[in-house]
Amino acid sequence: MIQEFYEKLWSVIRSSKKLFYIYYDDRQSYASLYNNIEILNGLLENRLQQKIIVYTEKSFESYCALYAILLSKNIWIPVSPDYPENRTIKAFELCQPDVIFTDRPLSKKLAIFADKNKCKVFDLQTTLKETNPKRLILGEFEPNEIAYI
């Protein structure tokens, strides 16, 4: 059942001609989502069941990260930049992420955490503009795999 869900989701993302995201004047297609998933997949290649924090406001880019993480069989951990810094540090310490996708520079404390824990940090907007896409091949999903924390 899980496998069928991801296969259907991937099929819709790859083939739909409709709009995926509308926020005021920002309109993004499923084709843009697909392209961005493949760009982020290039960063996630050879990663499996790794904890990936999405430290962003809600945006088209954050949704691209969410789908790229889930479809590449990694673990999505949303952390709001609106949380107090000490709460954010605690969340980072508890989940021990392997990667952080962000839409802003990390505070000094968060940057120190990332460096100390060898956590890769990617600015989503820069990454999505500069990186070449890498084709995502949907793997087999097992019922006991973690997808979201």
Side-chain angles (χ1 to χ4, degrees):
M1 184 153 174
I2 291 171
Q3 185 69 30
E4 291 84 17
F5 168 77
Y6 282 107
E7 287 173 1
K8 177 69 174 168
L9 176 64
W10 189 228
S11 173
V12 169
I13 290 170
R14 286 183 310 177
S15 62
S16 180
K17 304 295 181 207
K18 296 182 179 183
L19 287 175
F20 165 75
Y21 180 86
I22 301 171
Y23 184 74
Y24 293 99
D25 292 335
D26 187 8
R27 298 178 182 282
Q28 301 290 337
S29 67
Y30 275 94
S32 294
L33 173 66
Y34 177 78
N35 185 60
N36 286 346
I37 287 172
E38 292 206 328
I39 289 170
L40 296 173
N41 184 56
L43 302 174
L44 301 176
E45 188 177 36
N46 300 320
R47 294 180 186 273
L48 185 62
Q49 288 288 283
Q50 292 200 347
K51 297 175 200 152
I52 303 173
I53 286 180
V54 178
Y55 182 68
T56 66
E57 296 291 335
K58 288 183 182 177
S59 65
F60 174 66
E61 293 80 11
S62 68
Y63 285 108
C64 294
L66 180 160
Y67 284 110
I69 292 164
L70 294 178
L71 290 168
S72 65
K73 299 180 69 173
N74 285 291
I75 304 166
W76 169 54
I77 306 166
V79 177
S80 173
D82 296 331
Y83 293 159
E85 186 175 49
N86 287 339
R87 181 176 176 188
T88 301
I89 289 285
K90 213 32 137 177
F92 280 33
E93 288 171 350
L94 285 171
C95 67
Q96 293 295 307
D98 300 288
V99 174
I100 300 170
F101 287 133
T102 185
D103 63 354
R104 67 201 59 228
L106 295 180
S107 71
K108 187 174 181 177
K109 285 183 182 180
L110 294 176
I112 289 169
F113 172 88
D115 288 341
K116 179 179 158 189
N117 292 281
K118 297 180 177 122
C119 181
K120 300 233 183 229
V121 179
F122 297 99
D123 176 86
L124 276 175
Q125 293 187 351
T126 303
T127 300
L128 292 172
K129 288 178 186 167
E130 296 179 354
T131 310
N132 293 323
K134 175 101 175 137
R135 186 166 176 251
L136 183 126
I137 299 170
L138 199 61
E140 295 291 319
F141 290 86
E142 302 296 325
N144 62 343
E145 290 179 329
I146 299 172
Y148 169 75
I149 294 180

